[in-house]
Amino acid sequence: MSRVLSVVSSQLRRNVYFYPSLFRVLQRSLSSTAPARYAAEQGDANGSTPLGMRWKDSAETVIIGGGCVGVSLAYHLAKAGMKDVVLLEKSQLTAGSTWHAAGLTAYYHPGINLKKIHYYSIKLYEKLEEETGQAVGFHQPGSIRIASTPERVDELKYQMSRAHWHPNPQSLISPEKIQELFPLLNMDKVLAGLYNPGDGHIDPYSLTMALAAGARQYGAKLYFPAPVTGLTPTAEGKWDVETPQGTIRANRIVNATGFWAHEVGKLVGFQHPVIPVHHQYVVTASVPEVKALKTELPVIRDLEGSYYLRQERDGLLFGPYERQEKMKLQESWVTDGVPPGFGKELFESDLDRIMDHVEAAMEMVPVLKDADIINVVSGPITYTPDLLPMVGPHQGVRNYWVAIGFGYGIIHAGGVGKFLSDWIMNGEPSYDLIELDPNRYGKWTSTAFTAAKARESYGFNNIVGFPKEERFAGRPTERVSGIYETLKSKASMGFHAGWEQPHWFYKPGDDVSYKPSFRRTNWFEPVGRECKLVMEKVGVMDLTPFGKFIVRGKDSTKLLERLFANVIPKVGVTNISHMLTPRGRVYAEVTVTQLSPGEFMLVTGSGSELHDLRWIEQEAVEGRYSVEITNVTDDMGVLGVAGPNARKVLQKLTDEDLSDSAFRFLHCRSVTLADIPVTAIRISYTGELGWEMYHKRQHTASLYQAIMEAGQEEGIDSFGAYAMNSLRMEKGFRAWGAEMNCDTNPLEAGLDYFIKLNKPADFIGKQALLDIKAKGLSRKLAYLTMQTDDVDPEGNETVWHNGKVVGNTTSGAYSYSSQQSVAFAYVPTELNTIGQKLEVELLGKNYEATVTQEPLILTEPTRTRLQKKSKATK
């Protein structure tokens, strides 16, 4: 330890700034393809550089940014057959974050479809050298995520339960196997490991040059240096892309500019929530014990130490993720812009920030104590508030796409290039990646919020990934409902698209602390109490985060007929409708209400507000519909009242007749409640008697207070989102983003009731659904009941049958009414029969599950109808 600390202190504290000599050392250390680099820097016969050779004044797609992500997109678009693909880079390819990246590649990702991005990238990189003739320096020694606490072992088991239904190779391995694979580890604290064979690292520079060679090979043009100085939209939805060398008119543009993304976004009028982070990693000289090995060491990720470590030639490279109070942001680049000319430069290193991690690494890998440090690299990488990149078309302007905010650009580059290329070429995403949707952010994402969340996300890079995790930095935003101040001390709040929304409520004697867990925890009993409240009395829930749009105009009905697979409701009526993609996938689920002739209110989930609005606006423009679309999400509050006493409580506040015959299920009416104008819809996601009440946001507190006071005799109280989820699961209600999304069609999701294939309008996806129906389904959504112990399904767990993987859950919960766990799962149609026995994997154990007739609990409208029918027959 003393040796490494003295070397680092003496060499790097003196050389606090990055010098060109260090740049040359770093280039020699991290890249082994000097001939390819020389050819790239000198230009080639295809006119990439120098400029002036066959400059194009028009293009189908202009990609701005020559890092690995932008070049990958150029490669994939050109390979897919798009003509006139142009990439513009302000200085040199790889300038920015690509050139100095550590180059890690991993099959592992805790998300669902991001695993597909990782998988595709690795498979592409394996064959890229053969395809392009350019060496990429790809090493695949595997990787191990090390668990050194019992909680970490649970996390690995949790991730294994979500991995078996994916092709990505992954297994839980013992300490003995870990030591066999990485003999230089101190095994004192090692309990288990998550092993991904095929993981490793790649030379980022060589990877980018190989992708560039492939892009040129398929016809793309790569121009540099060609900084973009202006972006001007045309009336027909195209773009004039201005550079010092000339202007290119493009059908679409893609912002792939890394830490320049904020500046390019400003040219369009956006303040993209991205911010540069200082990330450091250390490279050692040759280590004798490493040099003596016959096979390359796997990459290790010491989760408790919060660092990664891999072999770099005969030495080691390790990179830490500092705690949020120690990490450093480059906030001035957001407020003042990136310094002119910055491209292949680095920040000064700061050892104090990483010393805790250096010591942890030396404890885990003792040979580091005697290793000489030859480089400490401190370079900018770009973070979004939640660490995930922003990928896809942007709402609010036509034909502007982004691929920005990549904290892990090397492993994402291949898969994201393919994903975006497919989307651009086919008009819809090939699979669901809403977690990367750039429209998950809005005007509420201030620079202060972005900075606070980026600090948190970076510092939490290796914390335990619990289900239902909450992160509290930067909260609350400006998006708080009128009762936030009233409820914040009484409830555990969740964060939904900038909004604060109660997850569960406290009572005296409850443990009110934040205690995330892979097992049932302190909210389990309180949520059961709230479910009982709604089932037996009456509860109130703040639903203000819903996305809410008003569509009006002479073509409004015509537009909605095109967008939705359901019939359009009559005036005063509400229905559940679905927007489908051309392939017949479920793009969105929306509650549609016709308020007055030709005026509609559309309501969607908080997480899909701008995602859905973009789709609606795009169709309106491309179809030339005469409509006005207004986003009223921030103007309108919503309270939900549900339970058998809901009618009694609300009737006290209005002269309107709320009886079942006068105010029927799925009907809407403008009423006055406690002298407050309200648009009331008789609907509740709980499946119980209930209303959703839409009103001006400034009236929420008064309306809530009036309802609570009116309901005292009926035992009224508040309930949260966790109880709502349990109640909807008992009723068999699907959720968008879980049971249905761009991975599923509505027929396999069991949404047939809402899909009107015989309606005259040619809605988007209609022909695809007719074809799917004719061909028949290979899988179907099943409703499962389970007896577990202290763990419940969450969704995305593996489903087994006779020792084989047959499907996956989509969501799950504990049913307090029936005292068992419930889940939805996609399984082969032949296994979707009532009584079929399956198994669901939870925390390393397979629990028996039974395919059950849904729903477990009949909805209130169904119960009421059956009661009336029973009375009529007596």
Side-chain angles (χ1 to χ4, degrees):
M1 180 186 296
S2 59
R3 181 179 179 186
V4 69
L5 294 183
S6 63
V7 170
V8 171
S9 298
S10 63
Q11 293 184 4
L12 297 176
R13 290 185 190 276
R14 287 199 303 269
N15 299 327
V16 293
Y17 292 100
F18 176 73
Y19 291 101
S21 60
L22 180 56
F23 170 58
R24 289 192 293 271
V25 171
L26 182 64
Q27 289 281 55
R28 288 196 300 271
S29 173
L30 300 184
S31 178
S32 58
T33 55
R37 179 182 304 109
Y38 178 82
E41 290 174 348
Q42 297 304 309
D44 68 359
N46 292 325
S48 295
T49 177
L51 289 178
M53 300 174 65
R54 294 193 294 282
W55 175 264
K56 296 179 68 65
D57 57 11
S58 65
E60 179 72 17
T61 299
V62 167
I63 302 160
I64 308 169
C68 59
V69 173
V71 177
S72 173
L73 178 56
Y75 162 85
H76 282 95
L77 284 173
K79 187 175 181 179
M82 178 178 285
K83 307 300 181 184
D84 298 330
V85 177
V86 171
L87 182 144
L88 302 175
E89 161 54 41
K90 71 187 299 290
S91 57
Q92 303 175 52
L93 298 184
T94 75
S97 296
T98 298
W99 74 274
H100 62 73
L104 298 179
T105 56
Y107 280 117
Y108 174 86
H109 194 279
I112 303 308
N113 280 343
L114 269 168
K115 288 181 174 69
K116 294 182 179 180
I117 294 289
H118 287 218
Y119 183 85
Y120 177 87
S121 290
I122 288 176
K123 293 306 178 185
L124 171 67
Y125 301 165
E126 287 175 347
K127 63 184 181 183
L128 196 57
E129 181 173 344
E130 178 183 354
E131 179 183 348
T132 65
Q134 297 279 338
V136 296
F138 194 17
H139 298 247
Q140 295 183 273
S143 76
I144 306 170
R145 301 176 69 84
I146 294 175
S148 51
T149 68
E151 206 166 50
R152 287 289 186 186
V153 176
D154 271 354
E155 181 183 22
L156 302 191
K157 291 178 179 178
Y158 177 77
Q159 289 302 332
M160 280 306 307
S161 73
R162 300 157 68 87
H164 279 129
W165 59 282
H166 289 273
N168 303 34
Q170 184 170 295
S171 59
L172 193 64
I173 59 175
S174 66
E176 292 75 20
K177 182 63 176 178
I178 294 171
Q179 187 161 43
E180 177 188 332
L181 293 169
F182 201 115
L184 303 183
L185 280 185
N186 173 4
M187 301 298 296
D188 289 350
K189 297 181 180 179
V190 177
L191 300 178
L194 200 66
Y195 178 51
N196 293 95
D199 282 8
H201 55 96
I202 195 167
D203 174 20
Y205 192 100
S206 300
L207 167 64
T208 306
M209 292 306 159
L211 289 167
R216 298 185 189 105
Q217 178 182 320
Y218 294 116
K221 300 296 182 182
L222 281 61
Y223 294 129
F224 55 93
V228 172
T229 57
L231 293 169
T232 304
T234 69
E236 64 270 27
K238 297 185 178 183
W239 289 90
D240 286 336
V241 183
E242 302 160 23
T243 78
Q245 290 76 25
T247 298
I248 303 176
R249 176 154 293 186
N251 289 353
R252 73 185 56 79
I253 55 176
V254 183
N255 181 351
T257 54
F259 54 71
W260 288 281
H262 192 267
E263 296 184 29
V264 173
K266 287 169 65 176
L267 297 177
V268 182
F270 289 123
Q271 297 284 334
H272 292 313
V274 294
I275 193 166
V277 171
H278 291 230
H279 179 62
Q280 301 185 97
Y281 63 82
V282 176
V283 184
T284 77
S286 179
V287 176
E289 293 87 346
V290 175
K291 188 174 183 178
L293 296 171
K294 295 182 179 179
T295 58
E296 184 175 351
L297 292 167
V299 180
I300 64 165
R301 290 172 174 83
D302 179 0
L303 302 176
E304 294 303 311
S306 192
Y307 65 86
Y308 57 83
L309 181 146
R310 69 168 177 84
Q311 187 171 333
E312 172 66 16
R313 299 191 177 184
D314 293 334
L316 296 168
L317 179 155
F318 65 97
Y321 291 92
E322 307 97 295
R323 294 189 302 273
Q324 56 183 308
E325 65 271 17
K326 287 193 173 185
M327 62 85 66
K328 186 175 181 179
L329 300 174
Q330 195 64 31
E331 296 177 70
S332 65
W333 288 11
V334 176
T335 56
D336 304 327
V338 181
F342 192 101
K344 286 199 171 181
E345 291 75 32
L346 294 175
F347 298 128
E348 62 179 271
S349 59
D350 184 350
L351 291 174
D352 290 338
R353 295 209 319 268
I354 66 171
M355 199 53 63
D356 291 346
H357 306 278
V358 171
E359 292 173 355
M362 288 189 293
E363 181 181 1
M364 182 65 74
V365 186
V367 296
L368 279 173
K369 296 177 182 179
D370 297 318
D372 288 326
I373 305 297
I374 58 172
N375 282 323
V376 174
V377 179
S378 180
I381 59 175
T382 310
Y383 263 46
T384 63
D386 63 7
L387 178 57
L388 296 174
M390 299 167 64
V391 176
H394 209 291
Q395 186 273 332
V397 64
R398 296 170 64 189
N399 298 315
Y400 173 69
W401 296 61
V402 296
I404 59 177
F406 289 87
Y408 308 101
I410 304 305
I411 185 56
H412 287 157
V416 165
K418 172 65 171 170
F419 178 78
L420 273 180
S421 173
D422 288 348
W423 194 345
I424 290 170
M425 297 293 288
N426 302 326
E428 64 176 286
S430 51
Y431 48 89
D432 180 74
L433 269 181
I434 193 172
E435 61 267 43
L436 304 192
D437 187 358
N439 305 300
R440 68 188 186 271
Y441 299 117
K443 295 178 180 178
W444 53 270
T445 47
S446 65
T447 299
F449 172 84
T450 300
K453 297 305 285 187
R455 285 185 180 280
E456 180 183 57
S457 294
Y458 188 89
F460 283 3
N461 200 285
N462 286 307
I463 67 164
V464 177
F466 291 107
K468 292 183 170 63
E469 179 191 53
E470 284 295 322
R471 297 187 176 185
F472 300 99
R475 296 168 54 182
T477 71
E478 65 184 44
R479 280 190 146 182
V480 293
S481 80
I483 54 175
Y484 169 71
E485 292 297 328
T486 301
L487 301 182
K488 68 178 184 180
S489 62
K490 303 175 182 179
S492 175
M493 290 288 181
F495 189 70
H496 303 271
W499 295 97
E500 299 290 327
Q501 186 177 39
H503 277 169
W504 62 280
F505 284 84
Y506 317 139
K507 292 293 181 186
D510 290 341
D511 180 351
V512 302
S513 57
Y514 173 62
K515 288 188 174 180
S517 175
F518 297 104
R519 294 175 167 80
R520 294 172 187 166
T521 184
N522 59 327
W523 53 259
F524 183 77
E525 295 298 336
V527 170
R529 182 174 62 217
E530 293 172 26
C531 289
K532 184 177 182 181
L533 168 77
V534 175
M535 292 296 292
E536 297 180 0
K537 297 179 182 179
V538 58
V540 181
M541 182 174 177
D542 186 4
L543 300 174
T544 299
F546 280 164
K548 303 167 283 282
F549 321 126
I550 299 296
V551 180
R552 58 168 67 92
K554 72 181 185 69
D555 290 339
S556 58
T557 301
K558 186 178 177 183
L559 169 64
L560 300 189
E561 287 279 18
R562 173 65 175 160
L563 283 170
F564 292 110
N566 205 344
V567 296
I568 304 306
K570 298 177 181 179
V571 174
V573 178
T574 297
N575 71 15
I576 308 299
S577 296
H578 298 85
M579 293 192 291
L580 308 181
T581 71
R583 290 190 302 150
R585 305 301 179 98
V586 185
Y587 187 84
E589 181 177 74
V590 179
T591 302
V592 181
T593 304
Q594 189 162 187
L595 301 173
S596 62
E599 181 180 11
F600 297 87
M601 181 169 69
L602 312 184
V603 179
T604 187
S606 58
S608 50
E609 173 196 346
L610 300 183
H611 168 272
D612 295 359
L613 182 59
R614 186 200 67 80
W615 187 267
I616 295 167
E617 290 175 335
Q618 176 180 298
E619 182 59 29
V621 170
E622 293 180 354
R624 299 184 178 182
Y625 295 94
S626 178
V627 295
E628 177 187 341
I629 303 168
T630 308
N631 186 356
V632 296
T633 299
D634 289 339
D635 304 323
M636 193 177 288
V638 191
L639 293 178
V641 179
N645 293 334
R647 181 179 286 116
K648 292 180 184 178
V649 173
L650 296 178
Q651 191 66 78
K652 297 178 186 180
L653 301 174
T654 182
D655 294 330
E656 295 284 340
D657 186 355
L658 302 183
S659 65
D660 186 61
S661 58
F663 203 142
R664 295 162 55 196
F665 179 57
L666 290 180
H667 278 61
C668 171
R669 188 183 303 171
S670 294
V671 301
T672 299
L673 287 176
D675 298 323
I676 297 171
V678 168
T679 298
I681 302 176
R682 190 178 155 192
I683 191 173
S684 176
Y685 200 36
T686 66
E688 294 303 305
L689 174 66
W691 280 263
E692 292 174 358
M693 291 165 294
Y694 297 78
H695 55 275
K696 290 184 179 179
R697 193 168 153 196
Q698 60 265 34
H699 294 157
T700 302
S702 298
L703 182 60
Y704 176 80
Q705 182 178 355
I707 293 170
M708 296 302 286
E709 289 176 355
Q712 290 305 302
E713 291 182 7
E714 288 74 21
I716 198 168
D717 211 339
S718 296
F719 70 102
Y722 289 176
M724 174 80 85
N725 185 59
S726 175
L727 292 166
R728 72 96 182 172
M729 288 290 300
E730 291 178 340
K731 305 304 195 308
F733 290 167
R734 278 74 170 147
W736 191 88
E739 284 70 57
M740 51 181 141
N741 54 30
C742 288
D743 293 329
T744 60
N745 69 66
L747 303 183
E748 63 189 3
L751 299 171
D752 311 54
Y753 176 81
F754 306 100
I755 308 300
K756 310 303 182 184
L757 290 171
N758 59 349
K759 83 172 191 176
D762 183 23
F763 61 83
I764 298 171
K766 183 176 185 179
Q767 186 57 53
L769 280 191
L770 290 170
D771 294 342
I772 290 169
K773 187 175 183 179
K775 183 179 178 181
L777 301 175
S778 60
R779 67 171 190 168
K780 188 81 173 176
L781 191 68
Y783 191 62
L784 307 180
T785 55
M786 304 166 55
Q787 291 294 341
T788 63
D789 32 57
D790 63 342
V791 60
D792 297 298
E794 292 278 339
N796 300 309
E797 296 97 356
T798 302
V799 178
W800 297 81
H801 178 61
N802 289 340
K804 295 182 179 179
V805 174
V806 295
N808 63 280
T809 61
T810 54
S811 57
Y814 184 77
S815 165
Y816 293 90
S817 297
S818 64
Q819 299 289 294
Q820 61 187 328
S821 296
V822 293
F824 280 116
Y826 277 106
V827 299
T829 52
E830 63 270 19
L831 295 178
N832 191 8
T833 57
I834 304 302
Q836 174 68 56
K837 299 296 183 183
L838 302 169
E839 293 178 326
V840 174
E841 182 181 352
L842 302 174
L843 289 184
K845 178 180 177 182
N846 286 8
Y847 291 86
E848 184 177 272
T850 305
V851 178
T852 304
Q853 179 67 49
E854 59 175 296
L856 279 180
I857 310 295
L858 294 176
T859 64
E860 179 273 335
T862 302
R863 298 196 305 264
T864 300
R865 187 173 63 252
L866 292 175
Q867 288 170 3
K868 288 180 178 180
K869 185 177 180 180
S870 176
K871 290 180 181 179
T873 58
K874 289 182 179 179

